[in-house]
Amino acid sequence: MLRAAGVGLGDEVVVPAFGNVEVAEAVTMAGALPVFADIDPATYCLDPAAAEAAVTSRTAAVVVVHRFGRLADIARLHGVGQRYGLLVLEQGESEAPYDEIAQRRERAAYLDTKLRGVRTPGDGDGHTYQQYVVRVPGNGRPDRDAFARAVRAKGVDCRVPVKTPVHRLPEFRRCVSLPETERASDETLALPVHASLTKRDMQRIVSACNALGGLLQPAF
């Protein structure tokens, strides 16, 4: 899509650093330079103000990635594109059947009301819960990782959604301030909400997480 739009050598493309490296790789494959902008801490998608702040005279495009089943503020991001004459491309997630989305939302609502000691994602605007991502409060990664190990030891399958933001990877290392990206990388943990989970499975998740609540600082 970038190549078809004429993006190439000498151009810059604003992208998120929180997420998959493939987006930045696609920019370099087109011959352009990826420029990383910070995320909105609620949606984990590009923050429109941060994206606009990253625009230079060489910027040709912005790549917006919808994350975890939450949509980016695409209206404001298209507004940035219109103000500066930029191409705005969207990368979505695979669509699930409506029934499956409804079941994930039901499980997410259960966790929202039962979990203690972590910050839950809330329902948001049209959240489809491709991943149910909580924040583990504390002093960053050691707390989140210790929490994840303890929860896994109780039989709950959980995963760190973004282990290393792209701007920290050797091939894309940048000296850039992305505080929300850094914080999200250190604090986020994805808990299961897929449709095959039983009521007993959901109770196990809540029990495992809430048993650790006393080890953490209060959720914010």
Side-chain angles (χ1 to χ4, degrees), residues 120-134:
T120 60
D123 55 4
D125 183 16
H127 203 325
T128 60
Y129 298 100
Q130 298 283 352
Q131 295 187 61
Y132 183 89
V133 177
V134 300

Side-chain angles (χ1 to χ4, degrees), residues 1 14-20 23 39-40 42-48 62-78 88-95 125-131 133 161-162:
M1 292 172 69
V14 178
V15 299
F18 186 74
N20 301 331
V23 175
I39 58 169
D40 179 320
T43 66
Y44 303 106
C45 305
L46 269 182
D47 175 64
V62 177
V63 177
V64 183
V65 182
H66 303 298
R67 185 70 61 196
F68 306 145
R70 287 288 293 269
L71 295 176
D73 190 342
I74 198 64
R76 287 182 61 198
L77 287 160
H78 274 297
V88 177
L89 299 176
E90 298 180 56
Q91 184 187 55
E93 296 169 302
S94 58
E95 292 292 332
D125 183 16
H127 203 325
T128 60
Y129 298 100
Q130 298 283 352
Q131 295 187 61
V133 177
V162 177

Side-chain angles (χ1 to χ4, degrees), residues 88-130:
V88 177
L89 299 176
E90 298 180 56
Q91 184 187 55
E93 296 169 302
S94 58
E95 292 292 332
Y98 177 80
D99 288 349
E100 183 177 333
I101 292 174
Q103 290 179 63
R104 287 203 300 251
R105 284 174 171 161
E106 181 181 312
R107 287 154 177 74
Y110 176 83
L111 293 180
D112 283 347
T113 60
K114 299 293 186 180
L115 287 176
R116 301 290 181 269
V118 297
R119 180 181 173 185
T120 60
D123 55 4
D125 183 16
H127 203 325
T128 60
Y129 298 100
Q130 298 283 352

Side-chain angles (χ1 to χ4, degrees), residues 2 7-15 27 31-35 54-62 86-87:
L2 291 167
V7 176
L9 190 63
D11 291 329
E12 295 178 351
V13 179
V14 178
V15 299
V27 173
L33 178 70
V35 174
V55 172
T56 72
S57 60
R58 292 187 174 185
T59 306
V62 177
L86 307 176
L87 177 70

Side-chain angles (χ1 to χ4, degrees), residues 148-172:
R149 286 193 296 271
V151 169
R152 289 189 192 109
K154 293 178 179 289
V156 174
D157 181 26
C158 63
R159 59 182 295 273
V160 175
V162 177
K163 293 182 179 180
T164 306
V166 182
H167 73 292
R168 285 199 210 147
L169 297 175
E171 62 269 39
F172 291 107

